[in-house]
């Protein structure tokens, strides 16, 4: 059972009252609907009609509704059970544009459904590939998810997100008022004000945009003229496949899978104070839901759906991660499909307001990713894994035309900072794993300078294994106390052989020596151990019991063994 962190107002298993629940859902809807810009841009790039654009946007909202419910279900192996809404994924953008240019909307829908099916199939084997996702890899992906969104967020923030190359003072004023209100409500607000920090900031942003003219008369007229209720127009062109596009879309699957792993790992971490490592069984269910969301999008006629990093960041910022919010988000998306006027309120969102919301969410995503990276010990190998991934990922985002001129089959890999960083960290992790053994040994001589040898050993291999620092320090201290006890009692006739085995779940130590067995039974430790005249020589035995999660001793043929177990 996860332990709710103190900074959460509503944890994953808690349900807010009705009114706060609806308002919290609305905050997430503003971010989800902002991602609808991707299918719009794709249709505009190929000269798509207004009817086709309306159709793909409507079906994308419907697919997002279903995908959000699938993700929050956590039943029969489907879904993670966390607040992690589905939205149009930027990772699908390059491959989707290529599909539309090659074979029209039918090819886009067919390849999207096929990509989702591959991701769903891959999710069934994810738990067997745990070695591919050490903590530093997950942390890099989470951090890069935030960094990759920065260009879009900043362009919107300064008012150039809609193709307008000029940033007006009024747009900067609206952006500053919106983001400033959100930050002030989060930092200095209490209770409800913090919960609705984004919604309050957006209301301020809309008002400022209307007063300064950033929200123009045309946008307001669009909202007024939109019908209150209407059935969506079905213009589905069918489905088609093209073998030449398999590689680009498989690369999309890898990117979205790693992205979802990062999003769901973040959800796990922020909802559990005692979080230690990603729960791959839970994540497998989340990846399955993510893949099924893309299948639904392709079948219905929408753009590929993925877990939304911005929404995860929003839930962290507001302190509300309740899964009940996800059902409200899904319900509102369903309503938007049939209520054009309500949808228009989101469509006309001023770019500075949209950029402010995304920047607010990015802040929490990046910091969470860095916390995941620094939760483990790092040696030179892991430092290179992290550093190289950030270097090449940032290069893809900073250098204009980074992927131009590359073959269309590999172009999606280099189309975004996130995809480049993801591929780099995956390959680098596999390369730098070479030569790392999960078993290591150390020989210690009682009565000599064994503390230095123990410290050097555990610091070296703790970093190579990427172990949690606190567990390595416990193991190091326990072995040190064991050697102190052996020295005090003279139990060993010679060297003590220490064998250490590390897995992601545990660290086990097997100490062997020739001589007399040690008495480490807890029932035999004196109560007055630290009292005047107490048997202080028994103190190492007590400390060993305090450091280790499990202690066993035995003797066979004159060989004594002490086994220490540490949960990792």
């Amino acid at each position: 059972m996860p332990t709710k962190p103190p900074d959460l107002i509503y944890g994953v298993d808690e349900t807010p009252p009705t009114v706060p629940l609806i308002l919290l859902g609305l905050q997430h809807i503003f971010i989800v609907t902002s991602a609808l810009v991707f299918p719009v841009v794709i249709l505009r790039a190929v000269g798509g009609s207004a009817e086709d654009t309306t159709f793909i946007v409507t079906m994308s909202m419907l697919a997002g509704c279903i995908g959000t419910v699938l993700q929050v279900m956590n039943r029969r192996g489907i879904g993670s059970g966390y607040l992690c809404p589905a939205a149009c994924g930027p990772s699908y953008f390059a491959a989707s544009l290529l599909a539309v240019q090659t074979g029209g909307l039918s090819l886009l829908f067919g390849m999207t459904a096929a990509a989702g099916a591959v991701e769903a199939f891959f999710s069934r084997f994810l738990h067997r590939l745990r070695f591919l996702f050490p903590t530093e890899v997950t942390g890099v992906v989470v951090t890069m998810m935030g960094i990759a969104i920065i260009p879009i967020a900043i362009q919107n923030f300064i008012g150039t997100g809609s193709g307008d190359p000029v940033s007006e003072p009024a747009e900067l004023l609206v952006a500053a008022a919106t983001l400033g209100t959100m930050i002030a409500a989060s930092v200095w607000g209490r209770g409800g004000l913090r919960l609705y920090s984004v919604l309050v900031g957006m209301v301020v942003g809309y008002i400022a945009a209307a007063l300064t003219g950033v929200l123009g008369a045309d946008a307001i007229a669009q909202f007024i003229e939109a019908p209150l209720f209407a059935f969506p127009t079905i213009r589905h062109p069918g489905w088609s496949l093209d073998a030449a596009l398999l590689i680009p879309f498989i690369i999309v699957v890898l990117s979205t899978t790693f992205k979802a792993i990062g999003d769901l790992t973040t959800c796990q971490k922020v909802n559990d104070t005692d979080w230690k490592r990603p729960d791959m069984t839970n994540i497998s269910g989340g990846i399955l839901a993510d893949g099924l969301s893309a299948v639904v999008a392709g079948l219905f006629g929408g753009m590929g759906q993925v877990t939304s990093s911005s929404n995860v960041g929003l839930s962290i910022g507001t302190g509300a991660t309740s899964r009940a919010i996800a059902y409200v988000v899904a319900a509102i998306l369903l309503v938007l499909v049939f209520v054009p006027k309500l949808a228009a309120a989101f469509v006309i969102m001023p770019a500075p307001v949209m950029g402010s919301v995304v920047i607010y969410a990015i802040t929490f995503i990046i910091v969470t990713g860095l916390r995941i990276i620094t939760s483990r010990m790092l040696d030179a190998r892991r430092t290179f894994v992290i550093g190289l991934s950030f270097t090449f990922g940032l290069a893809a985002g900073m250098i204009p035309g980074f992927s131009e001129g590359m073959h269309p089959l590999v172009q999606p890999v280099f189309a975004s900072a996130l995809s480049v960083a993801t591929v780099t960290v995956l390959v680098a992790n596999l390369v730098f794993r070479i030569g790392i053994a999960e078993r290591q040994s150390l020989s210690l001589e009682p009565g000599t300078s064994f503390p230095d040898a123990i410290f050097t050993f555990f610091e070296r291999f703790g970093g190579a294994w990427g172990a949690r620092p606190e567990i390595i320090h416990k193991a190091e201290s326990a072995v040190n106390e064991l050697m102190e006890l052996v020295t005090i009692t003279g139990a060993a006739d010679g060297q003590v052989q220490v064998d250490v085995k590390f897995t992601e779940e545990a660290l086990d130590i097997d100490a062997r020596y020739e001589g007399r067995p040690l008495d480490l039974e807890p029932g035999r430790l004196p109560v007055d151990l630290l009292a005047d005249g107490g048997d202080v020589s028994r103190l190492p035995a007590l400390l060993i019991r305090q450091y280790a999660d499990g202690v066993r001793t035995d003797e066979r043929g004159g060989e004594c063994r002490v086994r220490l177990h540490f949960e990792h």
Side-chain angles (χ1 to χ4, degrees):
M1 186 72 178
T3 303
K4 176 186 171 183
D7 57 340
L8 288 185
I9 300 175
Y10 295 113
V12 63
D13 296 315
E14 299 174 325
T15 301
T18 302
V19 173
L21 184 62
I22 295 174
L23 293 176
L24 289 167
L26 281 172
Q27 289 187 138
H28 284 273
I29 282 293
F30 276 97
I31 292 182
V32 170
T33 54
S34 68
L36 295 173
V37 66
F38 295 116
V40 173
V41 171
I42 290 175
L43 266 294
R44 288 181 180 176
V46 297
S49 65
E51 291 78 9
D52 286 338
T53 303
T54 301
F55 169 73
I56 193 172
V57 167
T58 302
M59 293 300 104
S60 295
M61 287 194 294
L62 184 57
C65 165
I66 297 173
T68 299
V69 173
L70 290 173
Q71 188 61 253
V72 79
M73 280 175 52
N74 194 22
R75 294 179 181 176
R76 298 182 179 181
I78 301 176
S80 64
Y82 288 107
L83 170 58
C84 193
C88 295
S91 53
Y92 272 92
F93 183 83
S96 296
L97 180 59
L98 181 61
V100 175
Q101 292 172 335
T102 303
L105 288 177
S106 65
L107 185 57
L108 166 62
F109 300 150
M111 296 305 301
T112 298
V118 172
E119 183 179 2
F121 176 78
F122 179 66
S123 71
R124 301 299 84 193
F125 303 95
L126 194 64
H127 62 285
R128 299 182 181 179
L129 303 175
R130 180 67 185 83
F131 67 93
L132 291 175
F133 314 110
T135 303
E136 68 272 13
V137 170
T138 306
V140 167
V141 174
V142 172
T143 306
M144 285 304 302
M145 285 188 308
I147 294 176
I149 308 173
I150 289 177
I152 296 175
I154 294 299
Q155 288 175 5
N156 281 278
F157 184 80
I158 63 178
T160 60
S162 300
D164 180 7
V166 180
S167 177
E168 302 292 341
E171 293 172 324
L172 295 177
L173 178 62
V174 172
T178 305
L179 184 59
T181 301
M182 294 177 187
I183 294 175
S186 296
V187 175
W188 295 288
R190 293 292 182 272
L193 186 58
R194 182 192 169 196
L195 275 175
Y196 314 129
S197 55
V198 172
L199 194 58
V200 172
M202 293 179 71
V203 169
V204 171
Y206 268 89
I207 294 174
L211 293 176
T212 58
V214 173
L215 185 62
D218 291 342
I220 296 176
Q222 180 181 347
F223 171 76
I224 295 175
E225 295 172 2
L228 181 62
F229 178 86
F231 284 99
T233 303
I234 305 299
R235 299 175 55 86
H236 204 298
W239 306 272
S240 60
L241 298 172
D242 188 341
L245 293 181
L246 283 177
I247 293 180
F249 273 90
I250 287 177
I251 292 171
V252 168
V253 168
L254 291 176
S255 298
T256 55
T257 299
F258 271 89
K259 179 181 182 298
I261 291 173
D263 285 334
L264 297 174
T265 298
T266 303
C267 289
Q268 292 177 2
K269 181 175 175 58
V270 301
N271 280 286
D272 188 0
T273 302
D274 302 324
W275 183 87
K276 297 177 180 178
R277 70 186 69 85
D279 180 348
M280 296 310 297
T281 301
N282 176 269
I283 289 177
S284 294
I287 300 298
L288 176 57
D290 197 50
L292 293 177
S293 300
V295 172
V296 170
L299 294 179
F300 283 15
M303 185 176 175
Q305 300 291 300
V306 301
T307 56
S308 174
S309 306
S310 298
N311 286 89
V312 174
L314 174 61
S315 66
I316 301 172
T318 58
T321 60
S322 169
R323 64 169 58 93
I325 299 172
Y327 290 107
V328 174
V329 171
I332 295 175
L333 282 172
L334 184 60
V335 170
L336 290 176
V337 172
F338 299 96
V339 183
K341 185 175 288 293
L342 189 56
F346 299 101
V347 174
I348 66 172
M349 184 190 303
V353 176
M354 185 186 305
S356 299
V357 175
V358 178
I359 289 174
Y360 176 91
I362 285 173
T363 303
F364 295 96
I365 296 172
I366 293 176
V367 173
T368 298
L370 294 176
R371 285 178 176 173
I372 292 174
I373 293 173
T374 56
S375 68
R376 300 298 179 91
M377 298 178 68
L378 302 175
D379 66 348
R381 295 173 184 242
R382 293 174 185 270
T383 299
F384 277 116
V385 170
I386 296 168
L388 291 174
S389 304
F390 279 135
T391 299
F392 288 107
L394 291 173
M398 296 169 62
I399 300 176
F402 185 82
S403 62
E404 291 181 4
M406 296 182 180
H407 194 279
L409 292 179
V410 299
Q411 197 172 48
V413 179
F414 302 95
S416 71
L418 177 60
S419 61
V420 171
T422 298
V423 173
T424 303
V425 76
L426 177 60
V427 173
N429 173 58
L430 291 175
V431 171
F432 285 109
R433 281 177 58 86
I434 299 174
I436 298 179
E438 66 176 14
R439 296 177 183 269
Q440 298 292 341
S441 299
L442 174 67
S443 297
L444 298 172
E445 189 74 39
T448 60
S449 57
F450 55 78
D452 290 339
I454 294 172
F455 174 81
T456 302
F457 175 86
F458 280 102
E459 288 298 310
R460 175 187 175 188
F461 291 108
W465 291 324
R468 292 164 53 205
E470 62 270 24
I471 300 302
I472 290 297
H473 293 158
K474 284 183 178 182
E476 176 187 316
S477 300
V479 173
N480 193 71
E481 294 298 335
L482 176 63
M483 291 303 299
E484 289 282 1
L485 187 58
V486 169
T487 301
I488 292 172
T489 60
D493 295 335
Q495 287 188 335
V496 177
Q497 182 70 23
V498 179
D499 298 323
V500 183
K501 177 184 178 181
F502 175 81
T503 64
E504 185 59 33
E505 290 74 29
L507 186 148
D508 291 292
I509 297 174
D510 187 358
R512 296 176 285 110
Y513 62 91
E514 299 289 336
R516 294 179 289 106
L518 295 171
D519 182 6
L520 297 177
E521 293 300 322
R524 299 182 184 179
L525 295 176
V527 177
D528 60 345
L529 182 65
L530 298 180
D532 291 340
D535 185 7
V536 181
S537 65
R538 300 289 292 152
L539 182 58
L542 176 61
L543 292 175
I544 291 171
R545 286 280 179 182
Q546 293 295 316
Y547 291 131
D549 296 306
V551 179
R552 292 172 54 196
T553 61
D554 61 60
E555 178 188 8
R556 292 183 181 178
E559 182 183 69
C560 301
R561 306 181 72 172
V562 178
R563 293 184 175 91
L564 306 178
H565 176 77
F566 300 85
E567 295 290 340
H568 187 265

